């Protein structure tokens, strides 16, 4: 049975994402626009089983996008509008060459009546490359098209979400070839989920009231320390802090929340003894993405110093 409003339509127009080369190592001498859009999707684990079910495909054109013209734009806009108007369609994805993607994005922004997402995606490496970027870009574009409360025309490439107004190809070779000027990307696709750059905080009136009360009634501020995981780290500081009565520890972790094994062992002992442990990343961008089996909580994107404040207030509210 068709689930209303869940279908994603992928429209193919060509580009390097559909390109082929006789050598897997060659990223520049290839023929763009060779592989059909249905075949592109079939090569993406996570999408291949949806083709013909919740994902439909349609080949609107098959061109190197340097040769994009008004006729193709008209046909593309027609097909987009047709699918956007279908109640069963959640969003439209367009596979496109990188060279004029920004122009098509703006054209569609100008002509479509669109209360749903239209996501253009592409690749810098042909489908036959050793590590093609197209399949992940396609998966990310579908993820954005499936996201609730998203409308308008976007471009997705190299894990970044750009808007039609500012997106621009800024590099002729590297995989992250797109930028949005000073304002940067609108967001990032991480494990199938969008993290928006303008991270608007949810209203927290009730939480703030509880926090204000706990501050007023607190006899002392809970002791929360920040520790850094690094090469050659040890658990000595954790053991000392636990003996000293620490109530919480924020760890500035490596990468996606990983911790040196010696420090991690000491933190597990501390956690078992009742100390709250929270992981933030020591990287200056991004945030720790939680996964099943994590031993410690994460900071929900807060930096180590802000995670310390949040943990102090949590401990005050619920010691
Ligand atoms: C094209 O724009 O169709 C070819 C170049 C590319 O997709 O990177």
């Amino acid at each position: 049975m068709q689930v209303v409003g869940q279908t994603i339509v992928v429209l193919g127009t060509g580009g390097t994402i559909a390109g082929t080369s006789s050598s897997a190592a060659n990223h520049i001498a290839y023929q763009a626009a060779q592989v059909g859009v249905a075949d592109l999707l079939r090569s993406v684990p996570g999408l291949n089983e949806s083709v013909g079910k919740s994902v439909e495909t349609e080949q609107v054109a098959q061109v190197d996008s340097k040769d994009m013209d008004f006729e193709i734009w008209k046909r593309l806009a027609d097909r987009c509008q047709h699918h956007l108007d279908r109640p069963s369609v959640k969003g439209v994805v367009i596979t496109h060459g990188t060279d004029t993607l920004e122009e098509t994005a703006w054209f569609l922004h100008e002509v479509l009546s669109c209360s749903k997402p239209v996501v253009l995606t592409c690749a810098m490496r042909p489908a036959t490359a050793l590590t093609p970027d197209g399949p992940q870009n396609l998966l990310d574009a579908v993820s954005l098209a499936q996201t609730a409360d998203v409308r308008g025309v976007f471009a997705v490439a190299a894990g970044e979400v750009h808007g039609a107004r500012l997106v621009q190809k800024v590099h002729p070779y590297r995989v992250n070839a797109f930028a949005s000027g000073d304002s940067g990307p609108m967001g990032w696709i991480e494990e199938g989920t969008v993290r928006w750059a303008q991270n608007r905080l949810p209203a927290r009136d009730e939480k703030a009231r509880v926090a204000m009360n706990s501050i007023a009634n607190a006899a002392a501020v809970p002791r929360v320390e920040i520790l850094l995981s690094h090469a050659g780290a040890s658990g000595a500081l954790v053991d000392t802090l636990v003996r000293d009565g620490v109530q919480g520890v924020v760890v500035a972790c490596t990468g996606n929340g990983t911790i040196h094994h010696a420090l991690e062992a000491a933190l597990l002992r501390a956690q078992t003894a009742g100390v709250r442990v929270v992981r933030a990343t020591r990287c200056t961008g991004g945030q720790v993405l939680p996964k099943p089996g994590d031993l410690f909580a994460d900071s929900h994107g807060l930096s180590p110093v802000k995670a310390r404040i949040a943990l102090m207030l949590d401990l005050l509210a619920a010691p």
Side-chain angles (χ1 to χ4, degrees):
M1 193 184 73
Q2 172 74 63
V3 182
V4 173
Q6 288 312 308
T7 300
I8 302 297
V9 180
V10 184
L11 304 178
T13 71
T16 296
I17 189 167
T20 55
S21 163
S22 54
S23 157
N26 197 322
H27 296 161
I28 54 171
Y30 59 86
Q31 200 69 34
Q34 300 300 304
V35 184
V37 64
D39 287 335
L40 285 184
L41 266 93
R42 274 192 211 100
S43 69
V44 183
L47 281 185
N48 53 355
E49 63 282 356
S50 309
V51 178
K53 298 175 196 152
S54 55
V55 177
E56 296 175 13
T57 60
E58 184 177 324
Q59 197 76 48
V60 173
Q62 189 64 298
V63 290
D64 185 320
S65 80
K66 72 182 175 53
D67 298 326
M68 186 53 69
D69 61 28
F70 200 74
E71 281 312 306
I72 299 176
W73 274 353
K74 257 174 59 183
R75 194 156 67 239
L76 184 59
D78 273 352
R79 297 315 292 157
C80 277
Q81 196 64 62
H82 165 79
H83 291 298
L84 291 170
D85 290 344
R86 290 168 55 202
S88 59
V89 168
K90 169 74 187 70
V92 171
V93 168
I94 300 168
T95 58
H96 199 287
T98 60
D99 284 339
T100 59
L101 181 144
E102 70 214 54
E103 297 173 48
T104 301
W106 186 244
F107 174 77
L108 293 176
H109 170 88
E110 291 289 84
V111 302
L112 292 178
S113 309
C114 134
S115 57
K116 298 174 182 178
V118 174
V119 187
L120 289 100
T121 194
C122 54
M124 289 298 286
R125 294 176 179 169
T128 47
L130 200 54
T131 54
D133 49 330
Q136 184 68 54
N137 286 348
L138 201 39
L139 193 59
D140 288 348
V142 170
S143 297
L144 178 61
Q146 285 170 329
T147 302
D149 300 327
V150 173
R151 53 176 294 176
V153 180
F154 301 88
V156 162
E160 296 179 345
V161 180
H162 297 273
R165 175 179 284 273
L166 295 178
V167 69
Q168 196 182 355
K169 183 171 177 180
V170 294
H171 202 282
Y173 184 71
R174 71 183 188 208
V175 169
N176 56 333
F178 288 88
S180 287
D182 287 346
S183 61
M186 295 177 75
W188 299 268
I189 311 282
E190 294 169 340
E191 301 293 305
T193 301
V194 190
R195 176 165 63 89
W196 296 108
Q198 269 73 33
N199 210 346
R200 263 174 273 140
L201 296 172
R204 45 168 288 127
D205 295 352
E206 179 53 23
K207 255 194 128 177
R209 198 187 54 73
V210 170
M212 191 60 112
N213 270 344
S214 355
I215 295 169
N217 300 327
V221 181
R223 182 158 176 210
V224 178
E225 300 286 350
I226 300 174
L227 295 178
L228 179 71
S229 187
H230 53 85
S234 83
L237 284 175
V238 178
D239 294 334
T240 305
L241 287 169
V242 172
R243 278 197 298 277
D244 217 30
V246 77
Q247 288 160 273
V249 175
V250 172
V251 193
C253 301
T254 37
N256 189 36
T258 52
I259 302 174
H260 185 283
H261 66 86
L263 178 56
E264 184 174 82
L267 288 165
L268 273 176
R269 288 195 294 277
Q271 189 165 256
T272 305
V275 175
R276 294 269 300 275
V277 178
V278 170
R279 295 172 304 142
T281 180
R282 69 180 213 180
C283 298
T284 51
Q287 65 180 61
V288 174
L289 299 173
K291 57 183 190 320
D294 280 341
L295 299 172
F296 306 107
D298 68 274
S299 68
H300 301 285
L302 293 177
S303 67
V305 288
K306 291 183 183 175
R308 175 176 172 271
I309 296 167
L311 182 51
M312 278 168 47
L313 292 173
D314 266 10
L315 284 164
L316 271 179

